[in-house]
Amino acid sequence: MLDAVRSALGDKAVIADPDAIEPWLHDWRGRYHGASPAILAPLDTAGVATIVRLAAEHDVALVPQGGNTSMVGGATPPANGRALILSLRRMNRIRAIDPVENLAVVEAGVILSDLHEAAQAQGRRFPLTLGAKGSATLGGLASTNAGGTQVLRFGTMRALVAGVEAVLPDGQVHDGLSALKKDNRGYDLDQLLIGAEGTLGVITAVTVRLVPAVVDRAVAWVGLAGPDDALALLRQMEAQTRAIESFELLPDESLAAVLAHVPQSRAPLSGVHPWHVLIEAVASDAYAEPPAAVLERMLAPALASGLIADATIAATEAQAEAFWRIRDSISASERAMGPAAQHDISVPVAVMPRFMIEAAAACEAAFPGTHASGFGHLGDGNVHFHVRAAPGTDPACWYSDQAPFVTRFVHDLVVAAGGSISAEHGIGQMKLGELERLSAPSRIAALRAIKSGLDPQGLMNPGKLVALAPDHSKP
Ligand SMILES: Cc1cc2nc3c(=O)[nH]c(=O)nc-3n(C[C@H](O)[C@H](O)[C@H](O)COP(=O)(O)OP(=O)(O)OC[C@H]3O[C@@H](n4cnc5c(N)ncnc54)[C@H](O)[C@@H]3O)c2cc1C
């Protein structure tokens, strides 16, 4: 297989140096470890098609990989060492930016922050951002249907991708890049590939929607009593303005974790508050009300009525960045406080405030000594719900013996609340078993039918999202 790829695409398309491969065999959080004899690195769509055809011919499994920032072990190859990594990182051209149509055609390996810069240079913006923007690629973002901090206003990748080009498991190219507003030719192949985590084919390029660049923004930090008040504040604001892009909720202990672990970080408010909200408002044209004025107009009555306890609006861009740095540092800071079971979950928005309080209490009662709390995208009904091990717990013992039971417990609560065990990170290998355990048989049967229909040999990212026989991820 490797010789065949070399002779078809040249030596550069095959990376077989173990030192060069090593960093790409492990997931971002260091929880999954795979093996692979080589990384294949094509330069264009035709190269990907050649590789996929050769893989089918040689019965070799492929693991598509972008920036390798998956939170669920989605891009880590199986440990059996028989799959090849198919890296899209050399396919990093922005093919076109059309400021009139507000569209960009972007290859799969383009890094998110590079697209941000290219769009900005044309007075436009790609309105999706997340903590991994310096590494995550457009192919990976589409394949995981990524969300981030602007979903409230612009939706996830499903809403932002207007077309997909992909190589299907038989090596044929699906060209769906044209961004038609109306296209009712039956099954939507583009949407099927978005969120498929590389199990139905390899995305080689996407057409994405752009919006006008931000002219001005304002970021506020609010102290309040609890998630119920936060949701009431959000609904009040949404009723009066469309300028709110982000609304992130965190408990005081998350702020305390950041203050303890991130040098030079400072609490935005002087008093102590049980919960905090970070709010960003933007203006996209020069005639819009200045976002700082919008926030003041919304927060003043909330303060007067006692809905919130205190608030401050960042006076400078540096201060706004400092507020966001607190939000973006929570995961790393909490990790430094000891091992935890982390859950990316969603429940209906109206249920979320009660869920956050009651699920945390239920976890701590069921697993004495643990500490549970959630933070994140309240307006999307999506929080990252972490259960920290009892102080002094051996990390290896926690992850192998205890965390799986905690996770099952949390997931059962989520399902009982009508929610999802994966809000934005996907299933990967981390949640494969839980998806099967907690899904209706009809759903699993449909997933398997789609998978085996498009990938009968089971060669596309085996062992992720949906298990299929023969399972190329097994020893
Ligand atoms: C610090 C940090 C913060 C994060 N914050 C968020 C957040 O707020 N919201 C959110 O949604 N996610 C978040 N993530 C998760 C992560 O950024 C996303 O999953 C991202 O979409 C993955 O992009 P990637 O290029 O790194 O893909 P990879 O990790 O390389 O791959 C992810 C999955 O997509 C598949 N894949 C990759 N490229 C292709 C392709 N071209 N064709 C087919 N399949 C492909 C892989 O096989 C794998 O299953 C965060 C991650 C980190 C590390």
Side-chain angles (χ1 to χ4, degrees):
M1 165 87 188
L2 294 181
D3 287 344
V5 175
R6 276 192 196 98
S7 70
L9 303 180
D11 286 349
K12 274 199 173 158
V14 178
I15 300 163
D17 170 5
D19 289 341
I21 299 171
E22 163 55 35
W24 306 98
L25 298 176
H26 316 280
D27 74 309
W28 180 277
R29 292 202 274 212
R31 300 272 300 280
Y32 297 95
H33 308 282
S36 180
I39 296 178
L40 307 180
L43 253 185
D44 54 23
T45 303
V48 175
T50 299
I51 288 171
V52 172
R53 269 196 302 272
L54 287 171
E57 212 176 293
H58 291 82
D59 206 36
V60 170
L62 296 173
V63 179
Q65 197 181 71
N68 198 26
T69 66
S70 167
M71 291 290 208
V72 289
T76 307
N80 66 16
R82 291 208 304 268
L84 296 171
I85 295 173
L86 173 49
S87 168
L88 279 299
R89 288 184 293 277
R90 283 175 83 206
M91 288 186 59
N92 58 4
R93 285 168 292 253
I94 294 177
R95 291 186 192 163
I97 290 190
D98 183 340
V100 177
E101 291 278 3
N102 273 326
L103 294 170
V105 182
V106 179
E107 289 186 348
V110 168
I111 289 173
L112 178 58
S113 55
D114 291 342
L115 175 60
H116 287 160
E117 279 172 28
Q120 181 73 29
Q122 304 262 0
R124 295 292 180 271
R125 176 166 70 118
F126 178 58
L128 181 144
T129 192
L130 39 75
K133 66 183 175 192
S135 304
T137 63
L138 267 293
L141 293 159
S143 298
T144 58
N145 183 29
T149 50
Q150 293 160 337
V151 172
L152 194 59
R153 185 163 180 200
F154 297 106
T156 62
M157 283 297 279
R158 279 197 197 285
L160 292 169
V161 173
V164 171
E165 176 192 89
V167 175
L168 300 175
D170 63 0
Q172 294 198 66
V173 176
H174 159 67
D175 180 357
L177 283 177
S178 75
L180 300 173
K181 274 223 167 86
K182 291 189 165 182
D183 179 14
N184 275 350
R185 288 176 288 170
Y187 306 138
D188 191 328
L189 292 182
D190 295 353
Q191 287 293 335
L192 198 56
L193 289 157
I194 296 170
E197 301 184 28
T199 63
L200 298 180
V202 185
I203 293 179
T204 47
V206 283
T207 302
V208 292
R209 301 181 206 286
L210 305 177
V211 297
V214 166
V215 175
D216 191 8
R217 74 161 178 171
V219 179
W221 192 278
V222 174
L224 37 65
D228 267 322
D229 293 341
L231 186 54
L233 176 67
L234 173 63
R235 293 304 186 227
Q236 270 185 18
M237 296 178 106
E238 282 175 337
Q240 297 175 64
T241 178
R242 298 196 62 217
I244 306 300
E245 284 209 347
S246 304
F247 194 94
E248 300 286 307
L249 175 70
L250 54 141
D252 194 49
E253 64 190 71
S254 294
L255 172 63
V258 174
L259 297 180
H261 289 96
V262 178
Q264 273 137 34
S265 54
R266 290 185 48 213
L269 298 171
S270 51
V272 174
H273 305 281
W275 289 82
H276 305 259
V277 176
L278 181 157
I279 307 169
E280 176 162 317
V282 306
S284 302
D285 65 78
Y287 304 102
E289 183 181 4
V294 173
L295 289 177
E296 260 172 49
R297 187 160 59 77
M298 308 278 142
L299 293 175
L303 254 178
S305 70
L307 181 61
I308 64 176
D310 199 2
T312 181
I313 297 170
T316 61
E317 186 55 28
Q319 207 178 11
E321 281 297 315
F323 288 3
W324 268 112
R325 207 162 32 251
I326 293 174
R327 164 63 185 87
D328 289 337
S329 309
I330 296 174
S331 286
S333 304
E334 290 195 349
R335 254 199 310 281
M337 296 176 74
Q342 303 184 337
H343 310 97
D344 155 49
I345 50 127
S346 67
V347 297
V349 177
V351 176
M352 183 53 88
R354 192 161 38 89
F355 179 87
M356 290 175 85
I357 305 290
E358 291 177 2
C363 278
E364 289 170 8
F367 302 96
T370 60
H371 183 76
S373 68
F375 67 91
H377 323 297
L378 177 70
D380 308 334
N382 167 208
V383 291
H384 303 298
F385 189 81
H386 294 180
V387 183
R388 207 162 54 241
T393 305
D394 172 47
C397 170
W398 166 258
Y399 285 119
S400 62
D401 299 346
Q402 298 173 41
F405 291 100
V406 173
T407 293
R408 284 173 75 99
F409 185 84
V410 171
H411 286 169
D412 287 346
L413 294 176
V414 168
V415 171
S420 164
I421 63 164
S422 178
E424 55 179 11
H425 293 163
I427 299 300
Q429 49 186 303
M430 180 191 272
K431 296 184 180 175
L432 188 72
E434 284 293 87
L435 181 72
E436 185 136 0
R437 182 175 78 83
L438 293 167
S439 298
S442 56
R443 184 186 184 95
I444 297 296
L447 289 184
R448 287 221 172 94
I450 293 168
K451 169 75 175 168
S452 55
L454 279 177
D455 181 20
Q457 290 172 264
L459 296 178
M460 299 306 308
N461 210 6
K464 319 287 167 45
L465 183 55
V466 54
L468 200 67
D471 187 341
H472 291 270
S473 69
K474 292 283 182 273

